Amino acid sequence: MAFRLKITSILLLICICYSCSDDDSENNLRQNQTIIFGWFGDGLCSGDCTSIYKLEDNKVYRDIDYADISDMPFQGNFQEMENANFQDYVALINQLPSDIFSEPNGYLGCVNCTEDVGGLYVEYDVNGETKIWKIRNGQSPDYVQTYRSLILDKLAELNSL
């Protein structure tokens, strides 16, 4: 009986240690990742022509200055959105298509495009390495369509808070 209790205790201790280390690894990974995303208006836009958000350190932030996205990387004035739950938006990090990393910085599918038609902005940073993409309205590679829909859904949620 004492032997079974020892074995059970040891197995329980191993399970607890293993589960804690997984949580720590996942949290460290998320802490080293930042995604900035949003939409930008076309070149004729005047006024608030951007709506940009940032996910970083398990928090959601909003750019409160509606800064221009031509600065790369994006230099916004971010304020924490205390009414937004990070877990509701972490899919934007987890579902970023792997094919996108083979794209150069700039417009997806249209390197020489301008901001004249507006679109979506995605900036991803992991451990200090930054990639930046602009997804023009009506023009983007097929593999990014599901992700584009996800961004639009999350933007609608955030804009309603």
Side-chain angles (χ1 to χ4, degrees), residues 32-87:
N32 293 330
Q33 294 179 355
T34 300
I35 190 164
I36 297 173
F37 64 97
W39 67 268
F40 59 95
D42 67 21
L44 302 175
C45 180
S46 62
D48 299 337
C49 297
T50 61
S51 181
I52 305 291
Y53 298 89
K54 175 169 71 169
L55 303 177
E56 181 178 59
D57 297 329
N58 295 324
K59 295 178 182 170
V60 180
Y61 301 88
R62 176 187 308 212
D63 173 49
I64 59 174
D65 288 345
Y66 304 100
D68 183 12
I69 62 155
S70 63
D71 293 334
M72 294 207 270
F74 184 75
Q75 301 296 315
N77 181 11
F78 290 102
Q79 180 178 37
E80 183 179 352
M81 295 181 66
E82 294 179 10
N83 57 342
N85 180 358
F86 176 82
Q87 293 305 318

Side-chain angles (χ1 to χ4, degrees), residues 102-114:
S102 63
E103 298 278 355
N105 285 344
Y107 288 93
L108 292 180
C110 188
V111 177
N112 296 322
C113 290
T114 66

Side-chain angles (χ1 to χ4, degrees), residues 40-43 107 113-119 136-139:
F40 59 95
D42 67 21
Y107 288 93
C113 290
T114 66
E115 295 177 14
D116 289 341
V117 237
R136 281 188 46 183
N137 292 327
Q139 241 185 347

